[in-house]
Amino acid sequence: MTATKGLEGIVATTSSISSIIDGVLTYRGYNIDDLAVHASFEEVIYLLWYGRFPVQSELDQLLRDLSESAAIPSELVEQMRLYPTGTNTMAALRSAVSALALYDETANEMSSEANFRKAIKLQAQLPTIVATLSRLRAGLEPIAPKSGVSIAHNFLYMLNGEEPSELAVKALNQALVLHADHELNASTFAARVTVATLSDIYSGVTSAIGALKGPLHGGANEAVMVMLEEIGSFDRVEDYVQTKLDNKEKIMGFGHRVYKGGDPRAKHLQKMSQDLSQLQGNTELYDMSVRIEEMVTGQKGLKPNVDFYSASVYTILGIQRELFTPIFAISRVSGWTAHILEQYENNRLIRPRAEYTGLTNQKYIPIQNR
Ligand code: ACO
């Protein structure tokens, strides 16, 4: 038995949800480039869950279901008030989603209908949890979700307590579409491993949030912003990046396990970052990002991934960096739940082997003789 480090190149399951073939990402056979420009996030959720686009009445029903499920239990809000201020937002989100199961009496029901209902709840409630966490951390009262608006609109409304601009809703909708699913990425794999034991959907999503939090995965978007803040201004980019490259340190937001020719999502976020910063009349963050890209790609051949330009996009939208990875989760929960439902439909315990590299033939020695 020989281990493959990081399971690189190992095909661990079959799935009909999303694919990466020759550097092209598709959801249910639809190219992400097409979806990013034309689809609403809610249409994409339906597509991921049901395998096809909804007709208008089906989309309306999904919007109603999401609206009706968006409020979170008051007991959970009271719990969240007790979380230490300044705690990591992804740790808080992971705890809150885990606690959500305690207030759902159907948490352990395993029928397909019950699991679909819980997928709707999770998708509807994650934005409310993230906005509530953000407001409580700022010493503000949470704002209840409103009905009849998109997830992007509702999230920005609950976050800021005012109606968002059309432009901000459009940009966030596109970011949510681009992050919705990504084949067998680390957090989706974590979710599938968890539910393959026939554990419940909340456990699967909690595991996924734990995996997404890491800086080699979803946590990279916040790490990119930390780097941009550290650099501070355009004239300091060159020195900063060169030192990192000379020291063989990783530059966050670059590289990918699967894409070697570039992440197809990155160009959409780059364009969004450029458009938004031009509209805002301040392009420094965008210009800094472009210069970093030129240096990292020029010297290392590494291309930006989905996280790199998300950092400037969210910042220009006025979103604090502590919320970048939670926003990733608001989107990716659509993919996680689609994969969990798919796993339940054709389940087998996921239990690989390990190549043993430890000592052998050891004999027990009584403690007084060690
Ligand atoms: N900056 C500098 N060097 C890098 C980077 C980077 N961002 N990424 C990879 N490299 C180098 C490695 O140091 C390594 O060099 P070596 O062969 O000289 O040792 C080589 O490229 C291969 O890198 P690995 O880390 O082995 O590649 P792997 O496929 O295991 O990792 C990963 C992929 C984790 C994305 C990696 O590129 C990375 O750490 N990037 C930065 C973090 C990041 O942006 N993560 C988000 C990914 S997208 C997502 O999850 C949403």
Side-chain angles (χ1 to χ4, degrees), residues 5-6 8 179 182 185-186 212 214-221 223-224 244-245 248-258 260 263 265 296 300 302-303 305-308 328 332:
K5 200 167 180 198
E8 180 165 8
H179 286 82
H182 204 218
N185 61 89
L212 187 72
L216 296 188
H217 188 15
N221 57 10
V224 171
K244 286 236 172 212
L245 290 174
K248 303 219 173 310
E249 285 175 56
K250 280 197 169 173
I251 313 281
M252 302 318 272
F254 286 87
H256 200 275
R257 172 62 66 75
V258 181
K260 298 304 172 196
D263 181 332
R265 303 164 295 179
V296 177
K300 298 275 295 186
L302 290 164
K303 305 267 175 58
N305 57 48
V306 70
D307 290 317
F308 186 62
F328 195 150
R332 187 56 61 83

